[in-house]
């Protein structure tokens, strides 16, 4: 059981004058209970990879399998609802008069009964930390940015996908909204496999199990998150910033400091760095 | 000078005003960051600056012209460039260069100069080479750059940007920061809405909005030093500021304006 991308490539506008390659030779596995982080700069192919993983577009080369079923094969229709994709700025897609109506739309379209669809909607709202009683009746257009983002993610969760794919889920949110969405990612991990695409390593790296770093459509790093934390050079190679707290520690090591570990946690980093300075004196 | 005096604004049907009693000014060459939580009134403030929204109470003047005065509305909008939060709301051209030319063309800029302005604006935001690309084929970050280029090509005296870097990657954000810094040094007044305090720290002055009112107006270092205020305003201290605070608590002498990794390292091994 896993969502696997096997040596996949993708070319936009193949065979036309505008033909451009977005992905080349990407392999990736998302297992249930795992968060896979896909990092890359603007135009690195991150969003295209999610589209392939969600079966929205067939890969130009290689293949994408969901629990063993090829998304471009004859059995692809069996996969309906198995993979949920949350687009960038998903709140732009909220449309119904009430939040409850909006959330029931997906499960209803998957052929679930009215009662099941409502139950799925309520349950999804709880999963994103919003009270179904209080929020179900609200108009989606009266929500704050963070609330609207969570409702939009709940709309995908309501379809009970085995794999949840999120494209820049924290972009444009304030501190509270970002913290809430990070909580949703942690909750989604308990329900299935999660893949998150972002150019912000700082917030999501602590939640990730596996990381794929893309540069110009090709992988420059695939491996455990802990490995990237210990040696963050691939982030720079991909045109991404090394998170500043990590950067301080990397530079300290380069200057000769001996640190037992590298961490993204500012408080822990302060403790480690202060102790290292004391030892040096 | 853009001057907001005791400005109040309420959206139709809303119970509470989005802005209440806001007084604020932006001088040519000044670089001001506006921070606050979602719903604090930041975007409303941006839209009031060029007359896109008109105040319910109080007044907004641009170089002495009241934004409510229809006779000067065109002049006001050619002096204040506005970059909206969602680039899809403002991209109109069929290809990139056409979109960047839309603003200055409407100002009646002659053909040869138009070409030069568009090339310069696209180069400034790193979109040179994509002149003939259709906007819908751009990534979100590239669209955001195009929206900025469209405003730059109008050569406005003031540039008001609503989260211009929200969809950009770290390098893109640095680029935008550098572009805005250069424009401010060249005399353009910059008002930039953001909720990233690390970005705000690059401005010389920060205004924090809370529930539609100004909760802070001063130096970035003073806001970063006030944890209670940051919490009330709903902005998170940048992780580097949290690291600096942690080091201070452990007896390392870190200056209040040490916002970069290099400055922190220097403090550690001084």
């Amino acid at each position: 059981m896993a969502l696997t991308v096997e040596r996949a490539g993708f070319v936009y506008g193949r065979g036309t004058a505008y033909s451009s390659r977005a992905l080349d030779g990407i392999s990736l596995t998302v297992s249930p209970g795992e968060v896979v982080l896909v990092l890359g700069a603007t135009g690195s192919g991150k969003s295209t990879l999610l589209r392939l993983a969600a079966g929205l577009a067939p890969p130009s080369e290689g293949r994408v399998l969901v629990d063993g079923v090829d998304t471009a094969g004859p059995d692809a229709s069996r996969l309906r609802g198995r993979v949920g994709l949350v687009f960038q700025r998903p709140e732009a897609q909220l449309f119904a008069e009430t939040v409850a109506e909006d959330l029931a739309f997906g499960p209803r379209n998957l052929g679930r009964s009215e009662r099941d669809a409502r139950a799925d909607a309520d349950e999804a709202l709880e999963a994103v930390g919003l009270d179904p009683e209080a929020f179900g009746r609200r108009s989606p257009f009266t929500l704050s940015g963070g609330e609207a983002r969570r409702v939009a993610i709940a709309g995908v969760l309501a379809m009970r996908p085995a794999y949840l794919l999120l494209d820049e889920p924290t972009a444009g949110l304030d501190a509270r909204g970002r913290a809430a969405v990070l909580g949703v990612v942690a909750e989604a991990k308990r329900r299935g496999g999660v893949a998150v695409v972002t150019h912000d390593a700082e917030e999501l790296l602590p939640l990730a199990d596996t990381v794929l770093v893309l540069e110009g459509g090709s992988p420059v790093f695939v491996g455990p998150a802990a490995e990237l934390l210990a040696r963050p050079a691939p982030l720079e190679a991909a045109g991404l910033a090394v998170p500043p707290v990590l950067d301080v520690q990397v530079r300290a090591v380069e200057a000769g400091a001996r640190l037992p570990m590298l961490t993204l946690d500012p408080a822990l980093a302060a403790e480690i760095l202060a102790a290292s300075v004391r030892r040096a004196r | 000078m853009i001057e907001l005096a005791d400005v109040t604004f309420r959206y139709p049907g809303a119970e509470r005003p989005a802005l209440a009693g806001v007084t604020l000014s932006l001088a040519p060459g000044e670089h001001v960051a506006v921070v606050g939580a979602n719903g604090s009134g930041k975007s409303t403030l941006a839209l009031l600056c060029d007359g896109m929204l008109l105040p319910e109470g109080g007044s907004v003047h641009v170089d002495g012209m009241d934004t409510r005065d229809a006779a000067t509305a065109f002049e006001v909008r050619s002096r204040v460039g506005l970059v909206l939060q969602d680039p899809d709301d403002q991209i109109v051209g069929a290809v990139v260069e056409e979109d960047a030319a839309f603003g200055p063309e409407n100002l009646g800029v002659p053909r040869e100069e138009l070409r030069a302005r568009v090339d310069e604006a696209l180069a400034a935001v790193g979109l040179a080479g994509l002149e003939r690309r259709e906007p819908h084929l751009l990534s979100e970050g590239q669209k955001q750059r195009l929206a900025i280029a469209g405003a730059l090509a109008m050569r406005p005296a003031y540039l008001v940007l609503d989260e211009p870097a929200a969809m950009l990657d770290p390098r893109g954000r640095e680029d935008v920061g550098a572009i805005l810094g250069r424009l401010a040094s060249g005399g353009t007044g910059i008002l930039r809405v953001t909720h990233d305090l690390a970005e705000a720290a690059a401005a010389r002055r920060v205004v924090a909005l809370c529930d539609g009112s100004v909760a802070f107006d001063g130096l970035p270092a003073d806001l970063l030093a006030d944890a209670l205020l940051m919490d009330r305003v709903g902005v998170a201290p940048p992780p580097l500021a949290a690291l600096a605070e942690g080091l201070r608590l452990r007896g390392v002498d870190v200056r209040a304006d040490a916002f970069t990794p290099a400055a922190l390292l220097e403090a550690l091994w001084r």
Side-chain angles (χ1 to χ4, degrees):
Chain A
M1 295 286 273
L3 191 165
T4 49
V5 176
E6 295 182 356
R7 293 180 299 282
F10 191 77
V11 179
Y12 280 103
R14 180 167 246 188
T16 72
Y18 302 101
S19 167
S20 75
R21 175 166 287 279
L23 287 176
D24 195 13
I26 302 292
S27 295
L28 183 70
T29 302
V30 184
S31 302
E34 187 190 31
V35 174
V36 175
L37 192 59
V38 181
L39 297 170
T42 299
S44 62
K46 310 186 295 290
S47 299
T48 304
L49 176 58
L50 278 199
R51 290 170 58 84
L52 297 193
L56 291 184
S60 308
E61 305 103 22
R63 51 182 197 160
V64 176
L65 303 175
V66 177
D67 298 338
V69 179
D70 193 326
T71 58
D75 294 331
S77 62
R78 280 186 16 220
L79 297 175
R80 224 159 72 94
R82 295 287 292 162
V83 182
L85 172 59
V86 180
F87 289 96
Q88 286 184 38
R89 281 188 275 110
E91 55 277 14
Q93 295 165 38
L94 298 173
F95 69 98
E97 280 185 24
T98 65
V99 165
E101 255 320 284
D102 209 295
L103 295 186
F105 180 80
R108 214 181 269 152
N109 274 305
L110 289 175
R112 292 188 197 145
S113 73
E114 193 55 33
R115 187 201 289 190
D116 285 352
R118 298 248 165 229
D120 286 342
D122 283 358
E123 208 264 339
L125 266 183
E126 273 172 26
V128 298
L130 297 173
D131 176 20
E133 278 295 306
F135 280 88
R137 267 170 283 177
R138 297 264 300 268
S139 157
F141 306 103
T142 63
L143 303 172
S144 76
E147 289 163 357
R149 180 73 52 90
R150 280 189 279 167
V151 166
I153 297 174
V156 175
L157 285 179
M159 293 186 274
R160 296 179 179 275
Y163 303 96
L164 181 70
L165 314 178
L166 301 138
D167 197 351
E168 299 286 0
T170 58
L173 295 184
D174 63 15
R176 251 165 242 148
R178 298 173 94 90
V181 167
L182 293 179
V184 172
V185 172
E187 168 65 22
K189 173 177 163 154
R190 299 202 310 117
R191 304 165 148 247
V194 184
V196 187
V197 153
T198 182
H199 47 238
D200 262 318
E202 194 151 36
E203 289 180 325
L204 283 148
L205 212 41
L207 286 174
D209 299 293
T210 304
V211 184
L212 166 68
V213 182
L214 288 179
E215 210 271 309
S218 299
V220 292
F221 175 89
V222 193
E227 203 174 294
L228 187 64
L229 268 179
R231 280 182 296 278
L235 291 176
E236 277 179 302
L240 296 171
V242 174
V245 169
L246 204 54
D247 193 26
V248 172
Q249 298 162 75
V250 170
R251 293 195 201 195
V253 169
E254 282 167 3
R258 287 224 295 273
L259 306 181
M261 63 180 285
L262 301 188
T263 175
L264 281 167
D265 180 350
L268 186 55
E271 198 175 310
I272 292 171
L273 284 166
S276 150
V277 170
R278 270 197 298 276
R279 267 201 313 276
R281 274 178 190 151
Chain B
M1 189 98 119
I2 298 183
E3 293 169 285
L4 285 80
D6 199 20
V7 167
T8 299
F9 182 85
R10 189 190 309 264
Y11 285 98
E15 277 172 35
R16 286 188 325 110
L19 284 182
V22 170
T23 298
L24 194 67
S25 66
L26 176 72
E30 203 176 10
H31 187 176
V32 177
V34 177
V35 301
N38 289 127
S40 61
K42 304 189 299 291
S43 298
T44 306
L45 177 71
L47 295 173
L48 279 156
C49 286
D50 84 330
M52 187 81 99
L53 293 178
L54 299 173
E56 179 183 299
S59 66
V60 180
H61 284 86
V62 176
D63 294 337
M65 294 172 283
D66 192 322
T67 57
R68 275 172 302 203
D69 187 349
T72 52
F74 189 84
E75 182 60 28
V76 163
R77 285 179 196 189
S78 59
R79 288 196 196 192
V80 184
L82 185 63
V83 177
L84 302 173
Q85 193 167 15
D86 184 348
D88 286 330
D89 289 345
Q90 109 180 70
I91 292 173
V92 295
V95 295
V96 164
E97 61 179 4
E98 209 174 289
D99 186 74
F102 182 81
E105 206 167 14
N106 277 296
L107 295 178
V109 170
R111 189 119 201 103
E112 317 73 65
E113 197 195 325
L114 194 61
R115 182 76 255 169
R117 282 201 192 189
V118 166
D119 289 346
E120 188 189 294
L122 291 178
V125 299
L127 286 182
L130 296 179
E131 287 81 1
R132 305 296 300 164
R133 185 71 62 91
E134 292 169 45
H136 70 92
L137 292 176
L138 299 177
S139 73
E140 289 295 318
Q142 288 169 330
K143 283 189 208 169
Q144 209 149 25
R145 290 161 187 254
L146 177 56
I148 296 172
L152 283 183
M154 295 178 74
R155 302 222 174 120
Y158 307 94
L159 194 55
V160 176
L161 310 101
D162 192 358
E163 306 227 19
M167 306 306 289
L168 295 182
D169 55 40
R171 194 163 286 175
R173 252 176 269 171
E174 257 173 49
D175 288 351
V176 167
I179 293 166
L180 298 184
R182 268 203 306 279
L183 287 170
S185 311
T188 308
I190 306 283
L191 189 132
R192 170 191 200 169
V193 170
T194 177
H195 39 232
D196 185 343
L197 272 188
E199 275 171 21
R204 248 158 277 161
R205 186 176 140 212
V206 179
V207 172
L209 289 180
C210 183
D211 294 333
S213 298
V214 176
F216 175 88
D217 185 345
L219 294 174
D222 291 339
L223 177 60
L224 285 170
D226 193 338
L228 279 178
L229 181 60
M230 283 191 284
D231 187 53
R232 186 161 73 83
V233 171
V235 291
L240 212 51
L243 174 57
E245 186 58 32
L247 289 173
R248 257 178 236 121
L249 286 174
R250 287 171 180 82
V252 180
D253 179 24
V254 183
R255 290 210 334 245
D257 60 352
F259 295 131
T260 62
L264 282 186
L265 280 171
E266 202 205 295
L268 275 166
W269 276 281
R270 192 163 30 214

